[in-house]
Amino acid sequence: MNNSTSALADPVTDDSLTQPFEGASPYDSYVHASVLNNLQHPLTEAADEMGFLVTTQVMELWFTLIAHEWRTARTAFAKDEPHAAMDALVRSRRALTALNGAWAPIAALTPAQFNGFRAAFGRASGFQSAMYRHLEFLLGDKSAGLLRAHRGDPAVHEALAETYREPSLYDEVLAYLYRQDLPVPRHVRERDVTTPYTSDPGVVEVWRRVYAGPQHHPHLALGELLTDIAELVTRWRFEHVLVVRRAMGSKPGSAGSAGLAWLEQRAARPVFPELWEVRGDV
């Protein structure tokens, strides 16, 4: 046996790695892996339920990170700190890419596989996710009705109500652009931020000026980064539609919604609408 083979067979052991921990490992104390790894409680013997649970829980963690980054960006825009805001948006873009990839474990569930555990979760449904609702509210897609649905859990409801009452990420972007001498209309700047954001011709004109100007201007870079985010959000929504269509077709949703039809309607709602409309004007 040569020396290289022996080295592979007898790896060097770092004694510091084998010393007993005093209680939980420092890793577990920081990451709380033992908590995360004990949150999966399948209700059936179906082989695919564990993958469904883990996928859903992982998505909730990505929602939490994305909401954190969008709030960070929103605060930075309000303080006229564009570099910090852009950094947070870039981080959120990476997280959104990972979120979209999280569909893979359940993307090809057949109706029989899904039905193997569907009845076990009763009226639970993804649209009840409070953290995903935070994302929608941060994007400007406000809904008093969907906020009201969470009144049974006071802590969750109040946290979501705060996001509902605050300006969206896009509201702060437009306020920042106004302070950068772009003509964002007054009625947009002073709008009721608890109402759903809808496209405004004056904002289309703002973005038209940005896109018709220097192609390496920071404002155009901002527009493209927001477009990346809008595209990734839209892709996630349509991926959700495809997963549901493949697993259950047009059956009603588990919580009594229209299921596929409701998801298709939500998926079609534009994110940062003027950024898409302006592309036909440049």
Side-chain angles (χ1 to χ4, degrees):
M1 181 179 293
N2 60 40
N3 290 337
S4 62
T5 303
S6 177
L8 290 173
D10 301 306
V12 176
T13 299
D14 185 340
D15 289 341
S16 67
L17 299 179
T18 63
Q19 296 300 312
F21 304 118
E22 296 181 5
S25 71
Y27 173 82
D28 195 62
S29 296
Y30 181 68
V31 178
H32 301 292
S34 59
V35 175
L36 292 173
N37 293 330
N38 282 283
L39 293 176
Q40 297 76 43
H41 303 287
L43 301 176
T44 72
E45 297 297 321
D48 295 286
E49 188 182 3
M50 187 66 164
F52 184 83
L53 269 173
V54 171
T55 295
T56 303
Q57 291 172 347
V58 166
M59 286 188 176
E60 285 291 328
L61 291 174
W62 286 125
F63 294 161
T64 299
L65 176 58
I66 293 163
H68 168 76
E69 299 295 5
W70 286 352
R71 287 192 177 97
T72 300
R74 183 182 62 182
T75 299
F77 280 122
K79 294 180 177 179
D80 291 329
E81 297 175 354
H83 297 300
M86 293 284 280
D87 286 347
L89 292 179
V90 168
R91 292 192 299 268
S92 80
R93 181 174 60 188
R94 297 189 192 115
L96 280 161
T97 300
L99 171 65
N100 285 356
W103 283 114
I106 63 171
L109 283 177
T110 67
Q113 289 168 336
F114 185 50
N115 288 336
F117 60 88
R118 185 190 182 201
F121 56 74
R123 293 182 59 79
S125 175
F127 89 83
Q128 297 163 354
S129 167
M131 191 52 66
Y132 182 68
R133 199 66 58 212
H134 279 281
L135 295 187
E136 290 198 325
F137 287 2
L138 283 164
L139 290 173
D141 194 359
K142 305 289 183 75
S143 168
L146 292 175
L147 168 63
R148 188 164 52 250
H150 292 274
R151 290 180 64 180
D153 189 330
V156 169
H157 179 265
E158 180 50 37
L160 190 56
E162 185 175 354
T163 305
Y164 174 78
R165 294 188 295 262
E166 293 172 339
S168 70
L169 168 63
Y170 197 48
D171 287 322
E172 291 294 3
V173 167
L174 295 178
Y176 165 75
L177 291 177
Y178 174 74
R179 293 191 298 274
Q180 295 292 304
D181 297 325
L182 284 164
V184 178
R186 180 175 180 177
H187 65 268
V188 172
R189 291 182 280 113
E190 297 180 357
R191 76 182 194 88
D192 178 359
V193 298
T194 66
T195 60
Y197 185 88
T198 57
S199 180
D200 186 89
V203 176
V204 174
E205 173 60 21
V206 167
W207 287 117
R208 190 197 67 76
R209 291 194 186 190
V210 169
Y211 275 83
Q215 293 302 288
H216 297 286
H217 195 283
H219 293 160
L220 192 144
L222 169 59
E224 285 299 277
L225 182 50
L226 290 172
T227 303
D228 287 345
I229 289 169
E231 180 176 326
L232 286 165
V233 170
T234 303
R235 287 182 184 277
W236 186 88
R237 290 173 175 175
F238 276 108
E239 189 71 18
H240 192 183
V241 169
L242 291 174
V243 170
V244 170
R245 182 182 292 160
R246 186 161 180 164
M248 57 176 277
S250 58
K251 292 178 182 177
S254 53
S257 74
L260 184 64
W262 188 85
L263 288 176
E264 289 174 335
Q265 181 184 32
R266 299 294 297 180
R269 297 167 74 92
V271 179
F272 311 145
E274 296 93 348
L275 282 164
W276 299 102
E277 294 174 35
V278 74
R279 293 171 189 274
D281 298 336
V282 177

